[in-house]
Amino acid sequence: MNELELYIHIPFCMKKCNYCDFLSAPADEKSQSAYMEGLKRELAFYGKRFPGREISTIYIGGGTPSWLQESYIAKLMEEVYRDFSVAKDAEITIECNPGTLTKSKLKCYQTAGINRLSIGLQSADDAELKLLGRVHTFEQFLRNYELARECGFQNINLDLMDSLPGHTPEKFYQTLVKTARLNPEHISCYSLIIEKGTPFYDRYKFDMIKFHAGMQTEELPMEDTVYQIGKMTQDFLAERGYQQYEISNYAKPGFACRHNIGYWKRFEYLGVGLGASSLLSEVRYSNVTDLEEYIEKSFQIEGTHVLDETLRRTVFCSSLHQKADALSRNAQMEEFMFLGLRMTEGIEKSRFYQAFGFTVDFIYKDALSKLKSEGMLVETPVWIYLTEQGMDLNNYAVSQFLL
C-alpha cells in the first residue's frame, strides 16, 4: 500500500502575531463551523480518489488549531479515519498555542488518535512575547505544558524564535535554559524573518534593508550576532542530548518529526484546507485562499484533467485548486537536492538513482567537485551531506545545484 502524508490547515487564531504572514485570522463561530464542514467534504472527496493509499503521518497546522472547540477536532479526525486507511503507527501532530489548551481538549485529542503536540512557545521572556504580539505568558505556557504531560503526551515539540529585535546570544541562552529544563522530545529554533504585510515589516523594514546591505542595524541583530546565536544553540542542545537533524530542528533519539522529514525527502503529501499545498504525481498544488470561496466550492468538488502546455502532459486538478505546477525532470532533481541537503544526514545516493535513473555524480559532477573543494560538502560511496560550513552557508551551497 502506497504511503501518503496528510496536512490539514486550520486558518483560525485568536489574534495575528506581529510577525505572522501565514494564512490565518480570527473568525466567528459561524465561519469556523462552515469551514470545518468544508474540510470534511474535501477529505471525503480525496478519500474516494485515493482508496489504496495509507496515511503515514498527519499534521494539523494553522493558524491555531487548539483555539477551536475540541468537538471540531474530534469530528475532523473521525472523517479522516472514515475516508482513509491510517497506519497503526501514524505520527499525528496538532499545533497548539499556550493559553488555548485545556484538560478536556487534550483528552479529546488523545481519544481522536493525536499523539504529538507542537506548542508555539517562541520565547521564555514575557517582554519578548509581548513584542511578538503573542497572547500568552511564559507562566501560561508552563501550565499548559505540565497539563499535557499529566494527560500522557510523550512526544512534544516546542517552537522557539531567535534573532528577535535586540537579541543577543545571552538573551536567547536564557530561553534555551528554561526550555531544556522541561526536557521536551523535540525543539525547533527558527530565526525571525520580517515579511511584507506584517506590523513588524512596517516597524523594521529600514533596519532589514540595512541588515541585508551589511550596514549597522538599530534594533535587529547583525549577521555576526545571528551566527553566534545559531552556533550557541547547536552546542547547547547537543550537550543536552538533542540531535540536530535539519537546519532548524533538534530531537532526542527517535523523536525526529516524521511528517517534516517526508517534506524534505519529497514524499507525496496531500494538503487539505484553505491555501493548503500538496505534492502528488510530481505536481505541486495549492488551494484557493479566500475563505468564502473555499466554503462555497467545497459543496460540489469536481475533478478534471488539464493539459500542461510546457511539459505536454495532462494534470489532474480539483475545483478547489488555485494553482497546479507540473514539475519538469530538472525541477524534480533540483528539489531533491535543495530539500535533502537541509538534513544533516544529507542525501542517500541510491535514492537519487531510483528516482531519476541517473547517478547524482553524473548529473552534478561539477557542483559536487566545487563544493568539496570549498570544504562545504562531503561525498561517501553512500551519502552526500553538507559540512558544518556548508550548513552555515546553505543557501549558497544548494544554489550550486540549479540546472
Side-chain angles (χ1 to χ4, degrees), residues 121 123-126 129 136-142 178:
L121 169 58
S123 173
D125 183 294
D126 284 346
L129 291 172
H136 68 273
T137 64
F138 184 60
E139 184 177 337
Q140 286 175 310
F141 157 74
L142 288 175
K178 293 177 181 178

Side-chain angles (χ1 to χ4, degrees), residues 249-262:
N249 287 278
Y250 303 79
K252 293 291 183 69
F255 288 97
C257 179
R258 288 163 48 195
H259 186 85
N260 286 341
I261 288 174

Side-chain angles (χ1 to χ4, degrees), residues 249-307:
N249 287 278
Y250 303 79
K252 293 291 183 69
F255 288 97
C257 179
R258 288 163 48 195
H259 186 85
N260 286 341
I261 288 174
Y263 290 155
W264 301 317
K265 290 190 174 183
R266 298 188 77 251
F267 295 168
E268 287 202 323
Y269 64 92
L270 169 66
V272 298
L274 194 69
S277 298
S278 304
L279 175 62
L280 300 166
S281 301
E282 296 301 346
V283 181
R284 287 202 175 273
Y285 297 95
S286 56
N287 275 1
V288 296
T289 57
D290 180 82
L291 180 62
E292 291 184 5
E293 181 184 5
Y294 174 84
I295 293 171
E296 181 180 347
K297 287 186 173 181
S298 72
F299 281 101
Q300 189 172 357
I301 307 173
E302 298 176 344
T304 185
H305 285 82
V306 297
L307 177 66

Side-chain angles (χ1 to χ4, degrees), residues 310-322:
T310 303
L311 300 181
R312 307 301 299 173
R313 57 169 284 200
T314 57
V315 173
F316 171 83
C317 293
S318 89
S319 52
L320 285 176
H321 286 141
Q322 180 171 272

Side-chain angles (χ1 to χ4, degrees), residues 32-284:
Q32 293 177 37
S33 178
Y35 177 76
M36 297 305 287
E37 291 301 314
L39 265 185
K40 290 192 284 185
R41 290 189 286 270
E42 187 179 8
L43 285 165
F45 172 82
Y46 282 111
K48 294 174 183 176
R49 177 164 175 77
F50 300 122
R53 306 297 293 271
E54 182 177 69
I55 302 298
S56 57
T57 67
I58 301 171
Y59 196 101
I60 306 171
T64 306
S66 60
W67 183 48
L68 296 182
Q69 297 176 21
E70 57 263 40
S71 59
Y72 284 132
I73 301 300
K75 291 175 182 176
L76 179 67
M77 290 302 298
E78 286 175 6
E79 187 69 39
V80 171
Y81 278 95
R82 180 162 46 243
D83 298 328
F84 295 90
S85 173
V86 179
K88 291 182 179 179
D89 67 341
E91 174 195 86
I92 306 177
T93 304
I94 186 168
E95 287 186 345
C96 312
N97 273 2
T100 64
L101 291 174
T102 64
K103 188 172 184 178
S104 175
K105 286 182 179 180
L106 289 164
K107 289 297 184 183
C108 173
Y109 298 163
Q110 287 183 318
T111 302
I114 295 170
N115 51 31
R116 183 174 184 270
L117 303 179
S118 182
I119 304 177
L121 169 58
Q122 312 310 349
S123 173
D125 183 294
D126 284 346
E128 290 178 353
L129 291 172
K130 186 175 181 180
L131 173 69
L132 291 169
R134 303 294 285 177
V135 296
H136 68 273
T137 64
F138 184 60
E139 184 177 337
Q140 286 175 310
F141 157 74
L142 288 175
R143 287 200 295 266
N144 276 190
Y145 183 85
E146 289 306 313
L147 187 60
R149 289 302 198 198
E150 289 172 11
C151 289
F153 279 94
Q154 299 177 2
N155 190 355
I156 299 179
N157 167 62
L158 300 181
D159 277 346
L160 302 178
M161 185 172 288
D162 63 56
S163 305
L164 307 182
H167 242 190
T168 63
E170 292 74 23
K171 280 189 175 182
F172 192 59
Y173 179 81
Q174 295 304 316
T175 284
L176 286 173
V177 168
K178 293 177 181 178
T179 302
R181 281 176 185 159
L182 300 171
N183 204 33
E185 286 71 28
H186 191 286
I187 297 176
S188 299
C189 297
Y190 300 104
S191 295
L192 172 67
I193 298 176
I194 309 292
E195 302 284 5
K196 289 184 178 180
T198 66
F200 265 20
Y201 181 79
D202 295 335
R203 181 171 177 178
Y204 299 114
K205 58 185 174 183
F206 294 116
D207 228 18
M208 183 178 63
I209 292 170
K210 291 179 181 178
F211 175 89
H212 290 298
M215 300 168 60
Q216 180 66 48
T217 56
E218 295 179 18
E219 296 186 77
L220 296 179
M222 295 288 289
E223 189 172 359
D224 286 350
T225 302
V226 173
Y227 176 80
Q228 291 167 11
I229 291 172
K231 286 301 169 190
M232 181 268 296
T233 300
Q234 291 173 351
D235 294 342
F236 179 92
L237 293 177
E239 290 170 1
R240 286 152 182 82
Y242 290 92
Q243 300 171 350
Q244 183 182 21
Y245 67 97
E246 191 268 344
I247 292 175
S248 303
N249 287 278
Y250 303 79
K252 293 291 183 69
F255 288 97
C257 179
R258 288 163 48 195
H259 186 85
N260 286 341
I261 288 174
Y263 290 155
W264 301 317
K265 290 190 174 183
R266 298 188 77 251
F267 295 168
E268 287 202 323
Y269 64 92
L270 169 66
V272 298
L274 194 69
S277 298
S278 304
L279 175 62
L280 300 166
S281 301
E282 296 301 346
V283 181
R284 287 202 175 273

